[in-house]
């Protein structure tokens, strides 16, 4: 059996934050996807392993030597309502490895069966949702957005039952950690301040080691998490990404995007866009994501109050509140930094925020594709207006804003082709278009055909480089396909 050099710092340092669990043995595991690049990054010696060995190892059929499968405990606010005991209902952590850069990474299975936290669920997953997590996670990686990643997707050879029987699958997920806001909530709800302190110091040691041992480290932890979340959400918003289920148990303290359930990328720019079938009120709409991130941070801050001021937790409220309220400014700063690059602007001027905001208002007013508008603006920068103009109903709709944008570029120290090239490095051409994702998932789930998924992944690996033969991967769906599009959790 392949040996993976697992460590188990989470299990060792936080003995009350997990329960042991064994994955269920799938009857006929078959490897659908193997991420050899990621395996090499993790330092895994799997080159000589057969597909059958990998399928058994990363589906739960075989327990890797040195693994210690556990289900992690956490709570969470789900759509604003507190669930005090959630935990890994269909996932388990095999252990941690040190990658080639010396960074500790979790390897976990998702969809491997019931755990003590399953709450009447079967703990299993279907091929479609696991491939969605693979495709979207790899797209985010290529876009430079911090994310968990898929090491493997393995069909189990048995059905799972949702609205109808679907082919089952297990995802092997790699994450900087699975520490969540909900992990802290689990112990705060129970008044277990000692465990909260252990958890905070573990989080600091793993993700913010520069804070270790400092006085005031718990307040500093809140500030550091807020800074990473501001950067992350700004990247989501520029990419047109909608997470779909930003519960507190889905906010990773590492600053990675985690738990790709009913997620999707927006086509036409519209702040109220919602794809999740269960988000009936639009709580997690595209435009509401920064505010929800701030709300989640407030819940994290509440858990830290007894650590920030042990003698009088209420005394910590003003300092914690200042950090939470400062998130909006941090996010806006991060968003504007990237907007300036995508607009090709040099330096900083007072009117840049208004210029960027007006661009988005223009896109929303005319239902213009978010991704192509940003991308084709680079054409305009080098005097090729045709593709951008073609996105709008008439030249008159675009002309006033373009006049302001061109005026902002004066004086100019770079050549127009250089400005355009720099803009294209910030604005992708290829994203996981919803109709293409569904096409890939349907082919794999209904016919066992992985070719569409692999072709889509190949296009997404270089999202900023325009390539011949990939034209369909750059275009949004026809309106009749896009209308009413919904995504599902898969549970």
């Amino acid at each position: 059996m392949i040996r993976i050099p697992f460590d188990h710092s989470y299990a060792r340092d936080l003995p009350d934050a997990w329960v042991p669990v064994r994955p269920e043995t799938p009857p006929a595991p078959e490897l659908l996807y193997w991420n050899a690049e990621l395996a090499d990054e993790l330092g895994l010696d799997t080159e000589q392993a057969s597909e059958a060995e990998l399928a058994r190892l990363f589906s739960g059929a075989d327990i890797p030597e040195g693994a210690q499968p556990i289900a992690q405990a956490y709570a969470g606010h789900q759509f604003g309502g507190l669930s005090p005991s959630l935990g890994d209902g269909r996932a388990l952590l095999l252990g941690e490895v040190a990658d080639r850069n010396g960074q500790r990474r979790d390897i976990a299975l998702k969809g491997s069966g019931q755990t003590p936290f399953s709450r009447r669920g079967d703990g299993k997953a279907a091929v479609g949702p696991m491939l969605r997590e693979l495709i979207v996670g790899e797209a985010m990686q290529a876009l430079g957005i911090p994310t968990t990643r898929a090491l493997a997707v393995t069909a189990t050879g048995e059905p799972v039952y949702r609205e109808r029987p679907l082919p089952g699958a297990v995802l092997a997920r790699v994450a900087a950690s699975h520490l969540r806001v909900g992990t802290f909530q689990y112990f705060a709800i129970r008044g277990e301040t000692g465990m909260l302190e252990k958890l905070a110091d573990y989080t600091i040691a793993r993700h913010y080691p520069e804070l270790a041992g400092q006085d005031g480290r718990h307040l500093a932890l809140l500030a550091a998490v807020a800074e990473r979340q501001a950067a992350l959400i700004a990247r989501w918003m520029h990419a047109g990404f909608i997470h779909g289920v930003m519960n507190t148990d889905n906010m990773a303290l590492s600053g990675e995007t985690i738990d790709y359930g009913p997620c999707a990328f927006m086509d036409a720019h519209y702040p109220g866009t919602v794809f999740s079938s269960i988000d009936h009120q639009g709580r997690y709409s595209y435009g509401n994501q920064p505010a929800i991130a701030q709300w989640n941070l407030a819940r994290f801050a509440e858990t830290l109050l007894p650590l920030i001021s042990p003698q009088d937790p209420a005394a910590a409220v003003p300092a914690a509140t200042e950090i939470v309220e400062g998130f909006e400014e941090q996010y806006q700063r991060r968003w504007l930094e990237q907007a300036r690059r995508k607009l090709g602007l040099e330096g900083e001027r007072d009117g840049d925020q208004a210029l960027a905001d007006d661009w988005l208002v223009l896109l929303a007013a005319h239902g213009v594709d978010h991704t192509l508008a940003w991308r084709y603006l680079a054409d305009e920068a080098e005097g090729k207006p045709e593709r951008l103009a073609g996105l709008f109903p008439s030249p008159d709709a675009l002309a006033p804003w373009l006049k302001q944008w061109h005026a902002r570029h004066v004086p100019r120290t770079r050549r127009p082709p250089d400005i355009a090239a720099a803009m294209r490095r910030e604005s992708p051409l290829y994203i996981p278009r919803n109709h293409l994702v569904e096409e890939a998932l349907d082919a794999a789930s209904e016919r066992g055909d992985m070719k569409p998924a692999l072709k889509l992944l190949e296009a997404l690996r270089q999202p900023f480089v325009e390539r011949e033969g990939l034209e369909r991967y750059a275009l949004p769906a026809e309106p009749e396909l896009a209308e009413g599009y919904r995504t599902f959790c898969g549970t």
Side-chain angles (χ1 to χ4, degrees):
M1 185 182 295
I2 302 162
R3 188 180 182 282
I4 300 174
F6 281 120
D7 190 25
H8 304 283
S9 67
Y10 185 93
R12 188 170 56 245
D13 295 353
L14 303 168
D16 296 325
W18 55 271
V19 293
V21 66
R22 301 282 292 186
E24 296 182 24
T25 303
E30 178 185 355
L31 194 67
L32 298 180
Y33 179 83
W34 174 247
N35 195 332
E37 175 194 358
L38 180 55
D40 180 69
E41 183 181 314
L42 296 173
L44 304 185
D45 184 14
T46 58
E47 289 186 5
Q48 304 305 314
S50 68
E51 286 195 3
E53 287 179 287
L54 293 172
R56 291 189 62 81
L57 201 65
F58 293 106
S59 67
D62 292 334
I63 305 297
E65 182 182 347
Q68 181 182 328
I70 62 171
Q72 295 178 314
Y74 49 84
H77 276 87
Q78 299 190 312
F79 289 88
L82 179 61
S83 295
S85 184
L86 292 172
D88 288 330
R90 61 170 178 164
L92 57 84
L93 176 63
L94 292 174
E96 307 139 16
V97 297
D99 67 17
R100 294 192 181 279
N101 294 319
Q103 298 299 308
R104 186 178 292 270
R105 312 275 288 276
D106 283 358
I107 300 179
L109 300 183
K110 185 174 181 178
S112 55
Q114 288 186 323
T115 78
F117 299 110
S118 292
R119 303 184 309 282
R120 299 188 304 277
D122 60 13
K124 297 182 179 180
V127 165
M130 297 305 93
L131 288 181
R132 183 188 300 278
E133 183 147 348
L134 159 68
I135 291 168
V136 178
E138 289 304 287
M140 298 285 268
Q141 172 73 14
L143 290 167
I145 300 173
T147 180
T148 59
R149 298 182 68 188
L151 178 61
V153 179
T154 306
T156 61
E158 65 179 352
V160 296
Y161 296 91
R162 300 299 182 254
E163 291 82 2
R164 61 187 178 91
L166 297 168
V170 173
L171 174 84
R173 180 166 67 189
V174 175
S177 81
H178 287 79
L179 294 162
R180 314 158 188 262
V181 170
T183 316
F184 278 75
Q185 289 181 294
Y186 183 84
F187 295 104
I189 290 165
R190 289 159 176 76
E192 297 183 27
T193 305
M195 268 303 300
L196 271 177
E197 185 163 16
K198 287 182 181 179
L199 182 59
D201 286 344
Y202 179 84
T203 303
I204 288 169
R206 187 153 180 180
H207 296 302
Y208 305 94
E210 68 279 7
L211 305 180
Q214 292 185 14
D215 291 338
R217 64 188 181 279
H218 301 116
L219 185 64
L221 173 62
L222 175 62
V225 170
E227 179 64 32
R228 286 197 191 178
Q229 289 297 323
L232 177 67
I233 305 302
R235 297 301 300 264
W236 285 7
M237 299 297 283
H238 273 292
F241 173 73
I242 303 169
H243 186 280
V245 61
M246 288 178 66
N247 298 330
T248 56
D249 54 294
N250 290 338
M251 179 181 273
L253 299 180
S254 63
E256 286 185 333
T257 312
I258 192 171
D259 280 339
Y260 294 103
C263 61
F265 283 74
M266 183 170 60
D267 286 339
H269 182 92
Y270 175 61
T273 301
V274 174
F275 291 122
S276 170
S277 64
I278 59 175
D279 191 0
H280 305 297
Q281 305 302 318
R283 177 181 174 86
Y284 300 141
S285 66
Y286 168 76
N288 211 31
Q289 291 181 130
I292 289 296
Q294 186 179 39
W295 191 91
N296 288 347
L297 281 168
R299 307 290 77 75
F300 182 48
E302 289 166 355
T303 71
L304 295 175
L305 296 179
L307 305 182
I308 296 169
S309 180
Q311 302 305 315
D312 181 10
V317 169
T321 299
E322 183 178 358
I323 291 171
V324 172
E325 290 181 346
F327 173 83
E328 185 175 358
E329 187 278 328
Q330 287 183 310
Y331 160 76
Q332 199 59 58
R333 173 174 52 83
R334 291 284 194 164
W335 187 90
L336 184 57
E337 286 172 357
Q338 190 172 359
R340 285 191 173 105
R341 297 193 296 270
K342 294 179 76 167
L343 292 169
L345 307 182
E346 298 181 57
E348 300 178 7
R349 296 187 194 172
D350 289 342
D352 291 349
Q353 182 72 58
L355 184 68
D357 289 343
D358 289 347
W359 169 244
L360 296 185
V361 169
L362 187 65
L363 302 189
H366 298 286
V368 175
D369 186 81
H370 177 91
T371 300
L372 293 184
W374 281 108
R375 178 73 179 196
Y376 292 170
L377 187 60
D379 294 359
E380 176 76 31
E382 55 183 347
K384 300 174 183 177
E386 295 80 12
R387 292 203 295 185
L388 180 62
L391 299 177
F392 288 83
S394 72
D396 292 342
L398 186 57
W401 184 87
L402 280 180
K403 183 178 180 180
Q404 296 179 53
W405 179 67
H406 282 297
R408 170 62 177 84
H409 279 266
V410 178
R412 192 166 55 197
T413 62
R414 295 178 294 172
R415 297 169 53 248
D418 295 333
I419 294 172
M423 291 170 67
R424 292 188 186 107
R425 288 193 292 270
E426 294 289 334
S427 294
L429 181 60
Y430 308 110
I431 60 167
R433 294 286 184 179
N434 300 326
H435 64 295
L436 298 177
V437 172
E438 295 300 332
E439 176 186 287
L441 303 192
D442 286 347
S445 185
E446 303 297 331
R447 303 189 300 278
D449 181 5
M450 281 291 293
K451 292 187 183 68
L454 295 176
K455 288 180 180 178
L456 179 55
L457 281 167
E458 186 59 34
L460 296 173
R461 283 199 177 93
Q462 296 183 74
F464 303 99
V465 181
E466 187 164 2
R467 287 159 282 162
E468 288 187 12
L470 297 181
E471 289 79 10
R472 73 184 296 260
Y473 293 96
L475 299 177
E478 295 296 326
E480 59 269 21
L481 282 178
E483 187 176 355
Y485 177 71
R486 289 291 178 266
T487 56
F488 301 86
C489 282
T491 53

